[in-house]
């Protein structure tokens, strides 16, 4: 098994790492570039947003190669009673549907409702293929078998929620891809501990490998974005693979552990829906973008883009470790771990929450321009002594035009 895991990871990593530079060139030719909209993006210049196809290619090449090899070795039986061939075909069709719609969106931009219809169609393919949440078993809830209609609705809801959760958290360099890596590795450990199917282990490993191959180009300062194609693929794949890996185990792993692993993006998405409904007072408001996401709030408190991303990585890792401990050692050890982490963070809260917008000098991660509050920037009307945090939200680097989010404290 470990040999297959190593192959799945390395092959996906290499393919994605090698092909990503080509997608950067292709993005500029087809017009798949990200423009600044309403001050929501960290970058003020056009950025390629076509990294998704490279991640998808790395994932598919690695997965298809291993499925062929393992079938020839009789390590797996795709045509047995589990009918994995049917499930994998449904998964592939779902990926193709979502990818085609999102590629069009990355190039020309389409309405959110159109993307939602594509997600629903992709989720329907998964259900028809036989990938479903069949039951949930918890300490206080014992539902090893649920009604077929409930199973279908719950499965589709899970896929739509996770897909959009990863898509909505894609707001800073390396954020959605990094959190997806952490989630994938956490699920991999849980699958191994749970004795999940080898196919689900290979799939989640290939996904992690493809993402690690993409991160060097996406982490701040990014050379390319993963785009809607990539973020929708990540959410869709994590949702589907989590069902495949948890199916038939009849433990808390059925939806609950994946729910914990993906807790950060799911919480951010649910809160965004509630926030927009309250402010907009209509269903249409749910589809209106805003700057209320967790990463926006961290940046608004004075953290640099890199600091905000690393903080959210840490929170996501805590969720993943909590789920792994819960799976391996039970609820009490998991809760005690969480309690220790909370106490440690609370003890150092003053250090983390101290004013990040004081008189420190800030450096642009793109062009290395340094903003010094002592001198300000009189050409742009910024008076001497103006703290970095007091600069207008739409202030940009006077050299390269990047936004405030692309600055970090100069050592």
């Amino acid at each position: 098994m470990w040999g297959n895991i190593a192959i799945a990871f390395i092959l996906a990593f290499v393919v994605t790492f090698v092909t990503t530079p080509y997608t950067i060139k292709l993005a500029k030719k087809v017009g798949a570039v990200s423009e600044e909209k309403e001050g929501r993006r960290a970058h003020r210049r056009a950025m390629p947003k076509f990294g998704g196809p490279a991640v998808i290619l790395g994932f598919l090449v690695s997965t298809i190669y291993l499925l062929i090899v393992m079938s020839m070795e009789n390590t797996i039986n795709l045509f047995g009673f589990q009918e994995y061939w049917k499930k994998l075909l449904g998964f592939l069709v779902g990926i193709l549907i979502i990818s085609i719609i999102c590629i069009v969106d990355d190039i020309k931009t389409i309405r959110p409702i159109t993307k939602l219809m594509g997600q629903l169609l992709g989720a329907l393919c998964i259900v028809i293929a036989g990938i479903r949440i069949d039951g949930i078993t918890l300490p206080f809830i014992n539902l090893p078998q649920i009604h077929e209609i409930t199973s279908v609705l719950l499965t589709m809801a899970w896929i739509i929620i996770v897909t959009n959760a990863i898509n909505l958290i894609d707001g800073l360099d390396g954020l959605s891809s990094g959190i997806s890596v952490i989630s994938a590795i956490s699920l991999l450990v849980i699958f191994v501990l749970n004795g999940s199917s080898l196919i689900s282990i290979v799939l989640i490993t290939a996904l992690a490998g493809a993402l690690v191959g993409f991160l060097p180009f996406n982490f701040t300062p990014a050379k390319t974005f993963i785009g809607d194609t990539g973020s929708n693929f990540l959410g869709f794949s994590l949702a589907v693979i989590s069902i495949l890996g948890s199916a038939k185990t009849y433990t808390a792993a059925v939806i609950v552990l994946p729910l914990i692993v993906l807790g950060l993006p799911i919480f951010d998405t649910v809160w965004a829906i509630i926030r927009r409904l309250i402010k907009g007072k209509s269903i249409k408001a749910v589809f209106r973008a805003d700057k209320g996401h967790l990463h926006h709030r961290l940046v608004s408190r004075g953290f640099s883009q890199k600091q905000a991303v690393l903080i959210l990585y840490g929170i996501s890792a805590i969720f993943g470790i909590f789920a792994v401990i819960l799976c391996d050692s039970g609820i009490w050890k998991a809760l005690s771990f969480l309690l220790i982490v909370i106490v440690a963070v609370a003890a150092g809260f003053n250090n983390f929450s101290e004013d990040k917008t004081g008189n420190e000098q800030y450096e642009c991660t793109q062009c290395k321009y340094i903003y010094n509050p002592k001198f300000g920037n009189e050409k742009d009307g910024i008076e001497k002594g103006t703290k970095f945090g007091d600069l207008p939200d739409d202030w940009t680097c006077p050299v390269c035009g990047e936004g405030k989010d692309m600055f970090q404290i100069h050592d």
Side-chain angles (χ1 to χ4, degrees):
M1 178 179 71
W2 294 107
N4 291 324
I5 289 176
I7 293 172
F9 184 90
I10 294 173
L11 188 56
F13 167 84
V14 170
V15 172
T16 302
F17 186 80
V18 170
T19 56
T20 297
Y22 292 99
T23 64
I24 295 175
K25 297 177 181 178
L26 181 61
K28 296 175 181 177
K29 291 183 179 180
V30 301
V33 294
S34 177
E35 301 287 352
E36 163 61 14
K37 295 180 181 179
E38 301 175 2
R40 293 183 65 251
R41 300 189 186 279
H43 295 266
R44 299 304 171 103
R45 59 187 174 87
M47 283 285 292
K49 57 172 183 177
F50 213 49
V55 176
I56 295 172
L57 181 63
F59 172 77
L60 291 178
V61 169
S62 177
T63 300
I64 292 172
Y65 168 78
L66 271 173
L67 289 176
I68 293 174
V69 171
M70 289 191 299
S71 294
M72 294 174 63
E73 295 175 341
N74 292 322
T75 306
I76 59 171
N77 183 5
L78 297 178
F79 302 95
F81 74 97
Q82 291 280 8
E83 294 187 311
Y84 282 121
W85 69 270
K86 183 179 178 181
K87 295 176 180 178
L88 291 171
L89 181 61
F91 186 24
L92 178 60
V93 172
I95 289 174
L96 291 176
I97 291 172
I98 288 180
S99 297
I100 290 172
I101 291 175
C102 289
I103 285 174
V104 174
D105 182 54
D106 281 335
I107 296 174
K108 296 187 176 181
T109 305
I110 59 178
R111 297 171 59 191
I113 191 66
T114 304
K115 286 192 288 185
L116 180 59
M117 291 300 103
Q119 293 169 358
L120 286 169
L121 188 57
L124 185 61
C125 291
I126 297 301
V127 169
I128 293 174
I131 303 176
R132 299 180 186 178
I133 298 171
D134 293 323
I136 303 174
T137 302
L138 292 170
F140 307 106
I141 302 175
N142 187 13
L143 296 172
Q145 195 69 36
I146 57 179
H147 192 276
E148 185 175 358
I149 295 178
T150 304
S151 173
V152 169
L153 294 176
L154 185 59
T155 301
M156 293 190 68
W158 170 251
I159 293 173
I160 298 301
I161 289 172
V162 176
T163 300
N164 284 288
I166 299 299
N167 184 42
L168 289 175
I169 207 169
D170 183 29
L172 296 178
D173 294 355
L175 185 55
S176 66
S177 50
I179 286 179
S180 295
V181 168
I182 294 169
S183 300
I185 293 175
S186 300
L187 287 174
L188 171 60
V189 176
I190 290 171
F191 289 172
V192 172
L193 292 174
N194 241 9
S196 298
S197 65
L198 183 57
I199 286 180
S200 63
I201 291 174
V202 167
L203 289 173
I204 200 67
T205 305
L207 186 64
L211 285 167
V212 173
F214 177 71
L215 261 177
F217 303 94
N218 188 227
F219 194 72
T220 186
K223 298 179 180 68
T224 182
F225 295 155
I226 199 165
D228 271 7
T229 305
S231 60
N232 277 264
F233 163 73
L234 293 181
F236 183 78
S237 297
L238 284 168
V240 174
I241 298 171
S242 66
I243 300 174
L244 272 174
S246 302
K248 306 301 180 184
T249 58
Y250 296 145
T251 68
V254 182
I255 201 176
V256 175
L257 291 180
L259 182 65
I260 296 172
V261 169
L262 296 163
L264 177 62
I266 290 175
F267 169 80
D268 189 49
T269 299
V270 172
W271 179 243
I273 293 172
I274 296 173
R275 181 179 64 248
R276 293 173 185 178
L277 284 174
I278 294 174
K279 289 184 177 179
K281 298 181 180 180
S282 69
I283 297 297
K284 290 183 179 179
V286 174
F287 298 100
R288 294 173 190 159
D290 59 18
K291 293 190 69 174
H293 291 288
L294 291 173
H295 52 275
H296 290 134
R297 293 179 181 275
L298 285 172
V299 171
S300 68
R301 286 182 61 87
F303 290 96
S304 70
Q305 181 178 180
K306 182 182 291 185
Q307 290 170 333
V309 169
L310 292 176
I311 288 171
L312 294 175
Y313 279 3
I315 295 174
S316 185
I318 290 171
F319 275 108
I321 295 170
F322 177 82
V324 169
I325 296 174
L326 180 62
C327 174
D328 185 52
S329 304
I331 184 68
W332 298 115
K333 184 178 287 188
L335 287 175
S336 63
F337 158 77
L338 188 60
L339 179 61
I340 292 172
V341 171
I342 292 174
V343 170
V345 172
F349 180 75
N350 290 333
N351 293 327
F352 287 108
S353 61
E354 64 184 2
D355 185 9
K356 298 286 181 180
T357 60
N359 293 313
E360 299 95 341
Q361 297 181 38
Y362 277 73
E363 181 182 56
C364 177
T365 57
Q366 291 292 329
C367 68
K368 306 305 179 183
Y369 164 79
I370 295 176
Y371 175 80
N372 189 336
K374 181 178 179 181
F375 303 110
N377 193 322
E378 294 182 354
K379 290 183 179 180
D380 289 344
I382 306 299
E383 297 180 357
K384 296 179 180 180
T386 303
K387 297 179 181 180
F388 185 81
D390 293 334
L391 294 173
D393 289 338
D394 60 354
W395 181 83
T396 60
C397 174
V399 177
C400 67
E402 291 289 3
K404 286 175 64 179
D405 296 349
M406 294 305 296
F407 278 72
Q408 61 185 14
I409 295 175
H410 178 64
D411 296 327

